[in-house]
Each structure stands twice: as C-alpha cells, then as structure tokens.
Amino acid sequence: MSTTTVQEVRTAADALVAAFAEGRLDDYFGAFAPDATFIFHTTPQRLGSTAEYRALWQQWVEEDGFRILGCTSSAQLIQHLGDTAVFSHDVETQVATHAGEETVHERETIVFTRADNGGWVAVHEHLSAHTAA
C-alpha cells in the first residue's frame, strides 16, 4: 500500500471523525455515500442509506435530546485493498441525552471506496460495544 493512499484514507477518516466529534452533521453525513449502510449495536436493524441514518439521528435528537460532546479515536488501522480501504479504530465518545451525560467505549469499522473525484468516501460503518479485556 502506498504511503500516499494511507495518508488519503487517514485524512478522510480524520475528517469524518472530527465532523462527528464537533457536531458538524452536514460534513459528517456528507462523508458517506448516499447508499452507504450502517450497523450499530444499539439499533436492531441495518440502516440501508445515509438518509435513513440521518432520519434516525434526528429521531434521537427529538426524543432523547441526543448530542455529541466529543469523540476520541485511537488504535487506528488502515487496510488498503485496491479502490477500497478498511479503517478500524477504538472510539471513546462523550454523549448527552435528557438522562444525562455518559462516555461510551466502542469499536468501529468504516469501509471507504475511491470516489469518482479521486477522494475517498465511506460506504459502510459497523459499530460495536468495546468491553475491557
């Protein structure tokens, strides 16, 4: 894998995580292809599009007062497979709801593909709970 490709994917992943952490939802959801899929351990069904995920996010906001207070990414790994790259990492996220604030520890995998413009776009996200060993 070329150093340039790794840096391009890392830049795309860092931008996605930063937008999430800072609550810049247009930038966050814009990092995903419209037909991206999402699997979350907190959601019983697979989400079949970015629009479906954004609608669920809005429901969390309206019903629970959900908001992101911050997010830290660590233990990052990038695997390059042609026009696809797999980014995995550990995520520590501070969230707030009507119930209060909490810190959530999760593992996440984001699959990127090279876009027509030469950049990298996320096409799948899988989030799972991270339990201490």
Side-chain angles (χ1 to χ4, degrees):
M1 172 173 25
S2 76
T3 304
T4 301
T5 299
V6 171
Q7 188 54 46
E8 290 171 351
V9 174
R10 185 171 312 286
T11 297
D14 287 349
L16 186 154
V17 171
F20 176 83
E22 297 165 9
R24 292 183 285 111
L25 297 183
D26 288 340
D27 293 336
Y28 172 62
F29 288 111
F32 292 95
D35 60 350
T37 55
F38 304 86
I39 297 175
F40 303 131
H41 65 99
T42 57
T43 304
Q45 75 282 3
R46 178 181 54 231
L47 303 175
S49 70
T50 301
E52 189 176 343
Y53 176 22
R54 192 161 194 163
L56 179 61
W57 185 294
Q58 187 59 38
Q59 181 181 338
W60 294 336
V61 169
E62 291 170 3
E63 293 178 3
D64 303 323
F66 178 78
R67 61 190 169 96
I68 301 296
L69 303 176
C71 178
T72 304
S73 170
S74 62
Q76 297 178 347
L77 175 66
I78 296 171
Q79 298 167 279
H80 178 234
L81 309 158
D83 284 340
T84 303
V86 177
F87 170 77
S88 57
H89 62 148
D90 294 341
V91 185
E92 180 179 286
T93 307
Q94 296 77 39
V95 299
T97 65
H98 296 313
E101 295 180 8
E102 70 175 309
T103 299
V104 181
H105 299 273
E106 297 165 308
R107 288 186 176 159
E108 181 176 53
T109 300
I110 302 172
V111 179
F112 288 89
T113 190
R114 191 173 293 281
D116 291 339
N117 67 4
W120 291 89
V121 62
V123 295
H124 179 75
E125 177 181 349
H126 187 144
L127 191 65
S128 59
H130 183 22
T131 56

